[in-house]
């Protein structure tokens, strides 16, 4: 009973008062569908054939022991619409003993990366020399102060056995300020992201739960300096006024095929706003522990699963198949320890780009051998409703019409019709399937739907349902737009070519 009350309270605290948000309605959210006989399907990214896209090949990317590191450990990969470049902040060896330093790379296409000579440490691409366990770098598209446009949250070493979070700012992502805030002592592998739905910076803090071991606590504030200053370790579900226990791994999360008795744990978690929901990345640890990794000369098995939320706190994690899995080939660059990256996805035309760090089983094995990879997915392509050759239908819940144009993201190998329904589920005059301009054999991430004699501008402000009739078709998302170009008004995550630098699809 107590847990139910806490769930209801947390839902009320974080519930957005407007259920109908601007942005594409992803059918990843099955609650958008009221009736259907179509089949729900998850989809998964494909790893880029020329991975890794970045690896250690500079002297300063090796640590004191000569171990190679060149990948974001959260770090950040973002698209800067103002400069027209992909930008990456990643962790490198830096000749350090306990941790890593922060380096910068850039790209014109997101696939071929360059390491520029910078003036922070002349002759290198190092932008910060603080020895860290991990770091989150945000290209903050919602920040109005130019000197704080970039934010670096370092989980920095105090000594060989202790870390704290430090916050720095930058106007260019290369030259960083002095430390502006410091946390108390933390566990390693914490992460930070900005959630525009609640207008707060969220610290995803690692905790050690007595039963579930590696788990997460939640701390958020509009002021990033205050959030960092309030952060500290909590123990066994311990909470204070500002830090709340969040979640642990589920029993049905993936398990290591060689260690099936090891219960999964949450190694890391971070998130990004995409369209009208928050995408969450969950690095699920499956073992073994560090000591066994050293003895067996293998990397630990972490794989990234994806979830989502519309209330900023309670995650939908129904999809238990790894979104970014390890490669079972022990010689692969991503044979172990896949970790998510801040800023993803980046929207590149009809595709989403996801970056990740992976580790390969070279010598020495653990915990070095960082490399950076890329995977791509259809835009909005996390899930779809699918029909085969038999005609099927899908009816949405009532959605407020916010613009005069209706778009879908769909792959039509057969045909698609649509009709619009009023609050009583009656077909609106002029918007029946017989009035619809049928679409056949069309694959588009932004397809405008039209009726022969009517446009939907007369319906703006009303709540309607859409009923699709399909054959051999996948539907990924739908949305109303204020322009014929199909801008959704939703969030664009890490940005992308030809998108708005505001972080919103406008």
């Amino acid at each position: 009973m107590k847990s139910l009350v806490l769930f209801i309270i947390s839902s009320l605290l974080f519930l957005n008062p407007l259920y109908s948000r601007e942005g594409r309605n992803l059918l990843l959210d099955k609650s958008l569908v009221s009736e259907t006989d179509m089949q729900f399907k998850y989809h998964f990214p494909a790893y880029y054939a020329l991975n890794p896209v970045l690896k250690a090949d500079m002297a300063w990317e090796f640590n004191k022991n000569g171990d190679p590191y060149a990948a974001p450990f959260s770090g950040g990969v973002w698209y800067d619409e103002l400069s027209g470049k992909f930008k990456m902040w990643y962790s490198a060896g830096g000749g350090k003993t306990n941790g890593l330093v922060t380096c910068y790379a850039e790209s014109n296409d997101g696939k071929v990366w360059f390491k520029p000579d910078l003036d922070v440490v002349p002759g290198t691409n190092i932008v910060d020399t603080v020895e860290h366990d991990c770091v989150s770098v945000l290209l903050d598209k919602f920040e109005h102060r130019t000197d704080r446009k970039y934010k670096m949250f370092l989980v920095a070493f105090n000594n060989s056995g202790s870390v704290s979070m430090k916050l720095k700012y930058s106007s260019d992502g290369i030259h960083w300020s002095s430390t502006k805030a410091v946390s108390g002592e933390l566990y390693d592998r914490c992460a930070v992201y900005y959630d525009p739905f609640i207008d707060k910076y969220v610290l995803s803090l690692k905790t050690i739960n007595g039963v579930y071991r590696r788990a997460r606590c939640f701390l958020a504030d509009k002021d990033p300096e205050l959030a960092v200053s309030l952060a500290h370790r909590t123990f066994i579900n311990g909470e204070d006024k500002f830090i709340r226990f969040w979640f642990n791994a589920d029993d049905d999360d993936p398990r290591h095929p060689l260690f099936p008795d090891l219960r999964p744990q949450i190694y890391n978690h971070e998130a990004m706003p995409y369209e009208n929901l928050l995408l969450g990345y969950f690095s699920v640890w499956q073992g073994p522990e560090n000591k066994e990794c050293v003895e067996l000369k293998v990397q630990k098995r972490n794989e990234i699963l994806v979830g989502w939320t519309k209330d900023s706190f309670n995650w939908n994690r129904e999809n238990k198949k790894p979104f970014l899995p390890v490669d079972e080939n022990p010689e692969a660059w991503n044979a172990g320890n896949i970790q998510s990256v801040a800023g993803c996805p980046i929207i590149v035309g009809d595709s989403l780009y996801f970056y990740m760090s992976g580790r390969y089983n070279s010598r020495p094995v653990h915990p070095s051998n960082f490399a950076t990879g890329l995977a791509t997915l259809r835009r909005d392509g996390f899930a779809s409703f699918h029909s085969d050759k038999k005609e099927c239908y899908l009816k949405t819940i009532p959605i407020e019409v916010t613009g005069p144009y209706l778009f879908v993201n769909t792959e039509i190998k057969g045909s698609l019709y649509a009709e619009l329904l009023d609050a009583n589920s009656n077909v609106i005059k002029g918007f029946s399937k017989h009035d619809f301009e049928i679409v056949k054999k069309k694959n588009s991430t932004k397809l405008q739907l039209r009726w022969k004699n009517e446009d939907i501008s007369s319906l703006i402000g009303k709540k309607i349902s859409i009923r699709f009739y399909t054959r051999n078709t996948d539907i990924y998302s739908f949305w109303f737009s204020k322009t014929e170009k199909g801008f959704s008004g939703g969030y664009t995550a890490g940005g992308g070519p030809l998108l708005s630098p505001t972080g919103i699809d406008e």
Side-chain angles (χ1 to χ4, degrees), residues 491-503:
Y491 293 105
T492 52
L498 304 180
L499 296 179
S500 169
T502 62

Side-chain angles (χ1 to χ4, degrees), residues 46-245:
Y47 281 116
Y48 179 48
L50 299 182
N51 277 337
V53 294
L54 190 94
K55 60 183 179 181
D57 54 14
M58 299 294 181
W60 58 88
E61 293 175 325
F62 295 76
N63 70 2
K64 186 176 181 180
N65 297 324
D67 304 335
Y69 293 85
F73 204 32
S74 283
V77 180
W78 300 79
Y79 188 83
D80 184 353
E81 290 86 3
L82 297 178
S83 67
K85 291 188 179 295
F86 294 78
K87 296 183 174 182
M88 179 190 297
W89 290 264
Y90 67 95
S91 297
K96 299 294 186 179
T97 302
N98 296 316
L100 307 167
V101 301
T102 308
C103 291
Y104 169 82
E106 58 186 32
S107 172
N108 293 320
D109 63 1
K111 296 176 179 178
V112 179
W113 290 85
F114 303 94
K115 301 171 183 177
D117 288 340
L118 303 173
D119 59 359
V120 178
V121 179
T124 77
N125 63 333
I126 296 173
V127 295
D128 190 84
T129 60
V130 171
E131 192 168 4
H132 66 256
D133 169 74
C134 60
V135 59
S136 297
V137 178
L138 310 187
L139 195 176
D140 193 343
K141 302 189 180 190
F142 309 99
E143 174 62 69
H144 298 295
R145 290 183 53 171
T146 57
D147 61 330
R148 297 185 176 187
K149 193 69 176 176
Y150 297 84
K151 296 177 174 66
M152 178 184 290
F153 299 84
L154 286 149
V155 179
F157 279 92
N158 302 315
N159 53 54
S160 60
S162 171
V163 295
S164 294
M165 183 177 288
K166 297 181 178 181
L167 171 62
K168 298 183 178 185
Y169 300 125
S170 174
S171 61
D172 61 5
I174 295 172
H175 303 94
W176 293 89
S177 70
S178 59
T179 299
K180 301 302 181 184
V182 182
S183 74
E185 188 175 50
L186 297 173
Y187 289 107
D188 61 353
R189 203 58 186 107
C190 298
V192 182
Y193 60 89
Y194 174 69
D195 182 348
F197 298 110
I198 57 174
D199 186 25
K200 291 181 179 180
Y201 296 88
V202 177
L203 275 59
S204 174
L205 300 175
K206 177 181 176 181
T207 188
I208 301 295
N209 177 284
V211 176
Y212 301 109
R213 304 300 294 160
R214 297 175 180 89
R216 288 282 137 173
C217 283
F218 176 95
L219 170 61
D221 199 274
K222 292 186 177 183
D223 181 351
E225 294 177 21
L226 181 58
V228 170
S229 299
L230 291 171
H232 59 83
R233 279 190 182 188
T234 59
F235 300 88
I236 314 177
N237 287 9
E239 301 183 9
D240 65 9
K241 183 176 180 179
F242 304 101
I243 300 174
R244 305 168 59 195
F245 182 77

Side-chain angles (χ1 to χ4, degrees), residues 207-495:
T207 188
I208 301 295
N209 177 284
V211 176
Y212 301 109
R213 304 300 294 160
R214 297 175 180 89
R216 288 282 137 173
C217 283
F218 176 95
L219 170 61
D221 199 274
K222 292 186 177 183
D223 181 351
E225 294 177 21
L226 181 58
V228 170
S229 299
L230 291 171
H232 59 83
R233 279 190 182 188
T234 59
F235 300 88
I236 314 177
N237 287 9
E239 301 183 9
D240 65 9
K241 183 176 180 179
F242 304 101
I243 300 174
R244 305 168 59 195
F245 182 77
W246 204 354
F247 58 85
N248 46 254
D250 299 328
D251 285 328
D252 59 349
D253 277 324
R255 296 189 178 226
H256 199 309
L258 300 180
F259 301 89
D261 294 332
L262 283 179
R263 194 187 186 282
Q265 303 174 28
I266 298 295
Y267 196 87
N268 184 50
H269 159 75
E270 52 203 322
M272 279 296 293
Y274 179 76
E275 294 296 341
N276 62 12
L277 51 76
L278 200 64
L279 284 175
Y281 304 104
F282 301 81
S283 294
V284 175
W285 177 94
Q286 301 158 50
E289 293 287 0
N290 292 354
K291 181 180 177 181
E292 286 74 20
C293 287
V294 173
E295 293 174 352
L296 297 171
K297 296 183 171 58
V298 297
Q299 297 286 0
K300 67 185 69 172
R301 187 183 181 101
N302 287 318
E303 296 181 297
I304 299 171
L305 277 65
V306 72
W308 59 273
T309 179
K310 283 188 175 176
D311 70 10
S312 297
F313 191 79
N314 298 291
W315 293 97
N316 181 307
R317 295 192 57 227
E318 292 179 3
N319 183 5
K320 293 300 183 178
K321 182 178 177 181
F323 188 72
L324 297 171
V326 300
D327 193 315
E328 301 299 341
N329 176 3
E331 303 301 318
W333 70 273
N334 56 342
N337 207 346
I338 308 297
Q339 297 280 336
S340 57
V341 173
C344 298
I346 293 176
I347 302 169
V348 184
D350 292 331
S351 297
L352 300 178
Y353 280 21
F354 297 88
Y355 294 87
M356 73 296 301
S357 62
R359 307 199 199 191
Y360 49 94
N361 289 318
S362 183
R363 300 294 184 268
V365 174
H366 180 79
S368 64
N369 305 329
F370 265 27
T372 307
L374 166 67
T376 61
L377 181 72
R378 180 192 183 96
R379 187 169 180 177
D380 307 343
F382 302 94
S384 69
F385 277 86
H386 171 79
S387 64
D388 291 320
K389 294 181 180 180
K390 175 186 174 182
E391 183 174 273
C392 296
Y393 78 99
L394 181 149
K395 178 187 173 186
T396 73
I397 62 172
I399 303 288
E400 182 180 351
V401 180
T402 55
Y405 305 99
L406 174 59
F407 286 84
V408 293
N409 181 338
T410 181
E411 182 176 6
I412 306 167
K413 294 180 180 178
S415 61
L416 180 145
Y417 297 83
E419 59 188 7
L420 304 183
L421 312 177
D422 64 18
N424 296 315
S425 294
N426 297 317
V427 176
I428 301 172
K429 184 178 180 180
F431 296 99
S432 72
K433 64 181 293 188
H434 304 292
D435 299 310
F436 184 77
E437 294 183 2
I438 183 174
V439 185
K440 294 184 177 182
K441 296 182 179 179
K442 183 80 171 179
N443 188 359
S444 174
T445 61
K446 192 191 296 185
L447 175 67
Q448 185 180 348
L449 302 185
R450 304 173 189 270
W451 284 261
K452 295 173 183 176
N453 301 311
E454 300 284 346
D455 65 62
I456 64 173
S457 58
S458 61
L459 303 177
I460 291 176
K462 298 180 180 179
K463 284 197 171 184
I464 66 167
S465 296
I466 309 163
R467 185 155 56 202
F468 297 98
Y469 297 92
T470 67
R471 293 181 188 271
N472 206 6
T473 292
D474 282 272
I475 304 176
Y476 298 88
S477 64
F478 66 94
W479 68 100
F480 297 102
S481 176
K482 296 178 174 64
T483 75
E484 282 190 285
K485 293 185 177 180
F487 298 124
S488 69
Y491 293 105
T492 52

